[in-house]
Amino acid sequence: MTRLRTLLATIRLPAISVLVALFVGAIVIMLSDLEVLGKIPQDPIGAIVLGAQRVYLAYTSLLMGAFGDPAKFGKALASGGDPVLWAKAFRPITETLLASVPLMFVGLAVMVSFRTGVFNIGGEGQFMMGALGGTIAAVVLGGAGVPAPLAILGVVVAGAALGAAWAFIPGILKARVGASEVITTIMLNYIANLFIFFLLVNWDLIQREDHTQPISKALDKFVVIPKILPIEALRLHLGFVVALLLAAAVSWFLWRTTKGFELRAAGLNLPAARYAGMGAASSVVIAMLISGAIAGMGGAFEVVGTVKQLTTAISGGVGFTAIAIALVGGTRPSGVVATALVFGALRNGGALMGLNTGIPIDLLFFIQALVIMFIAAPSLTQRLIRAPFRRRVKEATA
């Protein structure tokens, strides 16, 4: 019961923030609809009803795009196992889970560094370098005929190693010369992108010969990440399970081990940690190595398991979204996983919402920004929720 109360108390503010953000987003949808605005002078009630209908259509489309249509679930279950019907029914939710995988990995990576007091803004570059490591390992190991389990392990290890190596640079610079990790990690993001572009254009090992654009060879010809469900159209792969297990491992490491306690102590109060005999420099380097390894692992799963080819756009801005996810999740693994799932649902469901209503995808980014804003300002959220009740109390008292 105590754990349940703790969990409810943890998710209370994020849940309220999401609801408030959706409410504000609904107002924006109504006010940005030209038909609704044109109807206000002649028929304000009708305009409100029309706006409410547009909001209902938008949000139901968002939910069905993210989690599926209940009617299709019924048909799939009644079919007795028709793979086509099962794919149509469960593809939305599996795509939502798939979209959340890179957000989980990089969100956990950023969370670890934030807990240590290191502002790692380089999750983007570490993710890309991990994707590069996974690509090289897939081509080399798969081309050499290494057994599939060993090849997959090699892909994950190579991605983690290259991501950790990329994060080691700003970590050692901060520890040795006091260089700002914010500046160095941001600059390394651009360097990683240009470095991958250079290799895709000039390195025969990974570049695709029959294409004029800078993309790699098709990686599914070398290594295939196993899928969770035995249906070809459902792309959800083993990376989702690894991300959940990694979240549990990170939680255990930070809150159940001596080294994890040292990292958290350094993040809470670095002078006190130094006075207690904890190495400040080593904490920074270790935190960056762990952070880079997790982000790089996510890049390897993304490039080999999901996209199946390396491009300069492999990250899709996941590194910067992960910063918001880590903060929204309260810099705790469980919060990061939950927030990544919400952001994955918004990202995946937005396509159907835009198709059914014509609402631009930018509105989803606006809603995400509102969620972040309301969580970052909890007093504002609580005032918005409590204001109507306070008015009623004052009126009743009067």
Side-chain angles (χ1 to χ4, degrees):
M1 185 62 70
T2 304
R3 290 185 177 181
L4 179 60
R5 289 177 180 175
T6 303
L7 178 62
L8 293 176
T10 303
I11 66 174
R12 177 176 172 272
L13 179 60
I16 292 176
S17 300
V18 171
L19 292 176
V20 174
L22 291 175
F23 176 75
V24 177
I27 296 176
V28 173
I29 291 174
M30 295 174 66
L31 295 179
S32 61
D33 192 305
L34 296 179
E35 187 176 353
V36 173
L37 292 177
K39 201 171 182 179
I40 290 177
Q42 294 81 17
D43 185 10
I45 303 298
I48 294 174
V49 172
L50 179 61
Q53 292 174 348
R54 298 287 168 84
V55 171
Y56 176 78
L57 176 61
Y59 284 166
T60 52
S61 300
L62 178 65
L63 290 174
M64 284 194 294
F67 303 108
D69 188 348
K72 292 182 179 180
F73 287 131
K75 291 180 180 179
L77 295 174
S79 68
D82 187 344
V84 176
L85 293 178
W86 277 72
K88 289 181 179 179
F90 290 95
R91 182 175 173 82
I93 191 169
T94 57
E95 289 296 307
T96 292
L97 297 178
L98 188 65
S100 68
V101 170
L103 298 176
M104 287 184 194
F105 275 107
V106 189
L108 289 170
V110 173
M111 185 219 74
V112 170
S113 61
F114 282 4
R115 275 287 177 180
T116 318
V118 182
F119 296 97
N120 179 17
I121 316 297
E124 186 91 357
Q126 294 147 26
F127 182 88
M128 288 189 287
M129 294 305 291
L132 175 62
T135 300
I136 296 172
V139 173
V140 172
L141 298 177
V146 174
L150 294 178
I152 294 171
L153 180 62
V155 165
V156 176
V157 171
L162 207 55
W166 204 249
F168 175 77
I169 299 172
I172 196 67
L173 288 175
K174 180 178 177 62
R176 295 296 183 186
V177 299
S180 171
E181 72 276 18
V182 175
I183 296 174
T184 53
T185 51
I186 289 176
M187 299 311 296
L188 283 170
N189 289 339
Y190 295 103
I191 295 173
N193 187 281
L194 294 174
F195 181 59
I196 291 175
F197 177 81
F198 173 80
L199 293 181
L200 289 174
V201 172
N202 298 283
W203 197 11
D204 294 337
L205 178 66
I206 62 173
Q207 70 176 171
R208 186 170 174 177
E209 300 86 355
D210 60 343
H211 209 284
T212 58
Q213 298 297 322
I215 62 175
S216 73
K217 299 174 181 178
L219 300 179
D220 54 351
K221 296 179 180 179
F222 301 96
V223 177
V224 176
I225 302 295
K227 294 182 179 180
I228 294 178
L229 299 173
I231 299 177
E232 183 63 27
L234 303 182
R235 303 189 301 158
L236 185 64
H237 54 70
L238 192 63
F240 178 73
V241 178
V242 175
L244 295 180
L245 294 176
L246 188 62
V250 168
S251 179
W252 173 82
F253 171 75
L254 288 178
W255 279 273
R256 293 292 185 270
T257 65
T258 303
K259 181 56 68 174
F261 173 77
E262 291 180 2
L263 296 182
R264 289 188 295 114
L268 291 172
N269 194 323
L270 186 57
R274 284 175 177 167
Y275 183 78
M278 302 175 188
S282 63
S283 296
V284 170
V285 175
I286 291 172
M288 289 300 292
L289 284 173
I290 296 174
S291 181
I294 296 174
M297 196 181 301
F301 273 113
E302 182 73 4
V303 73
V304 179
T306 304
V307 181
K308 300 180 180 178
Q309 67 178 13
L310 178 64
T311 67
T312 54
I314 184 66
S315 65
V318 66
F320 299 105
T321 306
I323 297 173
I325 288 174
L327 296 175
V328 170
T331 61
R332 297 188 69 91
S334 58
V336 168
V337 170
T339 308
L341 290 172
V342 172
F343 275 54
L346 290 174
R347 178 176 295 183
N348 186 49
L352 184 61
M353 186 182 77
L355 183 65
N356 288 347
T357 63
I359 296 174
I361 193 69
D362 295 336
L363 181 63
L364 289 179
F365 299 130
F366 173 71
I367 293 176
Q368 290 180 2
L370 288 175
V371 172
I372 297 168
M373 182 186 72
F374 287 125
I375 291 180
S379 59
L380 173 62
T381 305
Q382 292 171 358
R383 286 179 183 177
L384 290 174
I385 296 298
R386 293 175 180 174
F389 299 101
R390 287 178 178 174
R391 267 192 229 104
R392 293 175 187 173
V393 171
K394 289 180 179 179
E395 290 174 359
T397 304

